[in-house]
Amino acid sequence: KFAVFGLLVMSDPNLSTKNDDVAPGTSSTQETPVKSDDDDKKNWQEHKDQAGNTYWYNKETKKSSWTNPFTKQSPEELENGGWMAYKKDDATYYFNTITQQTTWTKPSCMKKSDELKEKKTKKQLKREFKEMLDKASIHHTWEWEQVLKIKLLDEDSRYQALKPGERKAAYHEWQESKRKKTKDDALTSKKLARDNFRELLMEKRLILPIKSCTPFEDVRSRLQLDERWDSLDSEQAREDVYDDFLYDVKQLEKQDEKEQRKNNMIAFHHLLAETKEITVQDCHWRTVQERLTDDARFQALSNLDRLIVFEDYVEEIKHKHEEEKLQREESARKNEKQAKQKWMKFLVAQHKEGKILWNTKWKEFAGIPGDGHEMQENPTFKEITTQLGVAYMNDVFDDYVDELKQAEKTKRKREKKQSDEGAPVKKTKTDEVAPPVVCKQPEKKDVPPAQKEDKLDLEDELAKRRAKIMAMLSGGV
């Protein structure tokens, strides 16, 4: 054993005595203690030195360590940064298991840790002292001098654990917390009692009933039968809760009246809508009032509310009537425009078929209703007549024929000019009413360029005049 211990002293200065030359606070040059492996566990042995400190020795590597190689650092080591206290010959030295340092002076981190422990201990002692006061027959209104007269406290270890000044300070803290708790409990109890009595009033509100104008004396006898009546200890407290309750009842009544008035006004509006006699032309309040007097929906409202609903309803039907009127007018304008376009297309088609010439009269074209004329039986003509009327159709017809007449005059002038110039003139259907034009036939069969240009000009003129008539019809002229 002495041989082994000698080896340990040589390999680890932490095991040196006071007579050794290792100065406190110096750093050791030894290697960090070897951590254990599964294969290496059998080589480590636990030993104790002469002071009773435990160390571990590896018989294979000849290394020693204060730290158990089979476990992690203890909580105390972690808390103190690896520093641990050891005894040697009734003296205490300190060894850091992480840095392998030794020192005779207590490290600062261990001092702070001890101070925290001491504070925690004081706090625990105060808590135990207050627990003793809770169990003792001590009222929080007592003065500290009265507490000192209780001899049994001197025998309690929790009392003796604190110094006299600490006991008094702890008692004042306990006394203040008790006062606050007593006050809070009283307020909670009072609130609970008021809530219970208010709950009783709410239950009896519809049964008794209780209205905003009901005096307390009228419901006292009925409320006394309930056990919640005694939740309040004074008559004044009950009346105070009852007055607050009546205020809330009044607010509820106002809400109910407002909702009922709204529903009654909606019902009266429905009644007006059901009355077919009310129109835009006949919407006098006095007349309507006489018709609806016997209806319950009429009687449920005041005169002012009835008048308000009636005026709103009249504005509503007027607005609806105006919207319908605008829709009808828009539809009529659209139908009329379509009919005008259809009538113009019909005239153009009749002209192409040769039924309308520049000298055609209206009576010749349309005849007279009832005379069996061909046009009077035409479905398209009859439909357009229904939409536009004969007068409008006659005016458009005359304008169209006038345009044809102007086009015919222009054509004849150009044909005369061509005849004078010796250009050939091609006959058309309109030439039946025009005098014949004698002209010299050219030797070439090709149409002269001048004649082509005149023909194009005539077609352009007719197209422009038709477009002008269409534009006039589209504009409603």
Side-chain angles (χ1 to χ4, degrees):
K1 290 183 179 178
F2 285 112
V4 172
F5 183 74
L7 291 173
L8 290 174
V9 171
M10 293 175 64
S11 62
D12 194 341
N14 297 336
L15 299 178
S16 61
T17 63
K18 285 184 180 180
N19 298 326
D20 294 335
D21 296 333
V22 178
T26 60
S27 176
S28 173
T29 59
Q30 300 296 323
E31 297 182 3
T32 303
V34 181
K35 301 299 179 181
S36 63
D37 296 323
D38 292 339
D39 298 336
D40 201 34
K41 285 184 179 180
K42 60 183 180 180
N43 295 323
W44 287 97
Q45 296 177 347
E46 183 178 344
H47 298 278
K48 289 186 180 295
D49 63 4
Q50 293 177 350
N53 299 316
T54 301
Y55 66 94
W56 286 265
Y57 174 72
N58 191 308
K59 61 183 181 180
E60 182 176 345
T61 63
K62 310 302 182 181
K63 298 283 183 74
S64 60
S65 174
W66 292 110
T67 306
N68 188 345
F70 306 117
T71 60
K72 296 180 179 179
Q73 284 183 306
S74 65
E76 184 179 1
E77 288 179 272
L78 294 174
E79 183 179 359
N80 295 328
W83 287 101
M84 295 289 291
Y86 294 95
K87 293 285 187 180
K88 188 175 182 64
D89 297 337
D90 296 332
T92 302
Y93 68 95
Y94 304 92
F95 173 68
N96 193 306
T97 59
I98 300 175
T99 63
Q100 302 296 302
Q101 288 180 325
T102 56
T103 180
W104 295 104
T105 306
K106 192 172 186 178
S108 58
C109 59
M110 294 189 73
K111 291 180 181 180
K112 292 180 180 179
S113 177
D114 292 343
E115 290 175 1
L116 291 174
K117 289 179 181 178
E118 185 178 357
K119 288 182 180 179
K120 290 181 181 178
T121 304
K122 288 292 183 182
K123 189 175 182 180
Q124 178 65 24
L125 292 176
K126 276 188 176 183
R127 183 165 57 252
E128 293 175 356
F129 180 78
K130 293 176 183 179
E131 291 174 356
M132 177 198 69
L133 295 176
D134 289 333
K135 295 179 180 179
S137 301
I138 299 175
H139 199 267
H140 65 274
T141 58
W142 290 7
E143 297 294 335
W144 173 241
E145 288 72 15
Q146 293 178 266
V147 178
L148 293 176
K149 294 178 181 179
I150 302 176
K151 299 299 182 182
L152 293 176
L153 296 180
D154 295 338
E155 302 174 1
D156 197 305
S157 59
R158 294 170 291 183
Y159 181 85
Q160 298 295 337
L162 295 177
K163 298 177 181 179
E166 295 174 342
R167 295 173 198 157
K168 186 175 182 180
Y171 174 74
H172 287 319
E173 291 177 5
W174 174 83
Q175 190 180 45
E176 185 62 27
S177 64
K178 283 294 181 180
R179 286 174 181 170
K180 185 177 180 180
K181 185 177 183 303
T182 302
K183 184 178 180 180
D184 293 343
D185 291 344
L187 292 175
T188 302
S189 177
K190 185 177 180 180
K191 183 178 183 303
L192 180 61
R194 290 173 64 88
D195 291 343
N196 289 336
F197 190 71
R198 184 181 180 82
E199 182 181 357
L200 170 62
L201 296 175
M202 287 294 295
E203 292 179 3
K204 300 298 182 181
R205 179 196 167 202
L206 301 177
I207 299 175
L208 294 179
I210 300 176
K211 298 182 179 179
S212 59
C213 57
T214 304
F216 184 61
E217 296 297 331
D218 294 353
V219 297
R220 181 197 301 272
S221 58
R222 300 285 296 276
L223 297 176
Q224 287 177 341
L225 302 177
D226 195 286
E227 60 182 6
R228 287 169 290 185
W229 171 269
D230 297 326
S231 60
L232 294 176
D233 55 2
S234 67
E235 191 72 7
Q236 184 62 44
R238 298 187 188 98
E239 291 185 5
D240 291 342
V241 175
Y242 185 77
D243 291 340
D244 294 340
F245 176 73
L246 289 186
Y247 176 80
D248 294 340
V249 169
K250 188 174 182 179
Q251 301 303 315
L252 291 174
E253 289 175 351
K254 287 182 178 179
Q255 293 180 4
D256 293 341
E257 290 175 1
K258 185 178 181 179
E259 188 67 24
Q260 186 62 40
R261 177 174 176 264
K262 179 181 177 181
N263 294 334
N264 291 340
M265 294 178 79
I266 293 174
F268 185 62
H269 185 277
H270 292 163
L271 174 62
L272 295 175
E274 295 170 4
T275 307
K276 304 300 182 183
E277 293 82 1
I278 304 177
T279 62
V280 177
Q281 295 76 19
D282 185 10
C283 54
H284 299 288
W285 169 238
R286 183 172 298 179
T287 306
V288 174
Q289 190 176 9
E290 293 174 355
R291 296 173 183 171
L292 306 177
T293 306
D294 297 332
D295 195 290
R297 291 171 287 182
F298 177 88
Q299 298 172 357
L301 289 176
S302 64
N303 290 332
L304 180 59
D305 287 343
R306 295 187 201 119
L307 186 58
I308 291 173
V309 176
F310 177 74
E311 290 177 349
D312 291 342
Y313 179 73
V314 170
E315 289 296 324
E316 181 181 329
I317 62 175
K318 285 182 177 179
H319 181 69
K320 184 177 180 181
H321 177 75
E322 289 296 326
E323 286 185 346
E324 292 175 351
K325 182 180 178 181
L326 291 174
Q327 291 176 359
R328 288 194 300 269
E329 292 176 353
E330 181 64 25
S331 178
R333 282 194 296 268
K334 185 177 180 180
N335 293 335
E336 183 180 0
K337 182 178 179 180
Q338 293 176 351
K340 290 177 179 180
Q341 294 174 351
K342 190 174 182 180
W343 173 234
M344 193 62 212
K345 291 179 181 179
F346 183 78
L347 293 177
V348 173
Q350 293 297 311
H351 170 66
K352 289 181 179 180
E353 294 177 6
K355 296 181 180 180
I356 300 177
L357 302 176
W358 63 272
N359 56 356
T360 304
K361 303 297 183 183
W362 170 254
K363 290 183 179 180
E364 296 175 3
F365 170 73
I368 301 174
D371 64 353
H373 194 279
E374 174 188 1
M375 196 57 63
Q376 294 293 330
E377 302 299 327
N378 187 297
T380 305
F381 183 86
K382 292 170 68 175
E383 180 185 356
I384 298 174
T385 303
T386 305
Q387 294 175 329
L388 299 179
V390 177
Y392 179 83
M393 295 169 65
N394 192 354
D395 291 341
V396 175
F397 176 84
D398 292 342
D399 291 340
Y400 183 68
V401 170
D402 288 342
E403 293 294 330
L404 293 179
K405 189 179 293 185
Q406 293 295 329
E408 182 65 20
K409 289 181 179 179
T410 303
K411 176 187 173 184
R412 290 189 177 187
K413 288 180 180 179
R414 289 179 180 176
E415 288 178 350
K416 186 177 182 303
K417 182 179 179 181
Q418 292 173 4
S419 177
D420 294 341
E421 294 175 353
V425 179
K426 187 177 180 181
K427 293 185 179 181
T428 62
K429 293 182 179 181
T430 56
D431 293 337
E432 298 175 358
V433 295
V437 178
V438 180
C439 60
K440 184 178 179 180
Q441 296 292 337
E443 296 179 359
K444 295 183 180 181
K445 296 182 179 181
D446 297 334
V447 179
Q451 186 176 352
K452 290 183 179 181
E453 293 179 0
D454 291 341
K455 184 178 180 181
L456 293 175
D457 292 341
L458 179 60
E459 291 177 355
D460 291 343
E461 184 68 24
L462 288 174
K464 290 180 181 180
R465 292 181 179 276
R466 288 172 185 167
K468 181 179 180 182
I469 294 173
M470 290 294 290
M472 293 171 61
L473 292 175
S474 298
V477 180

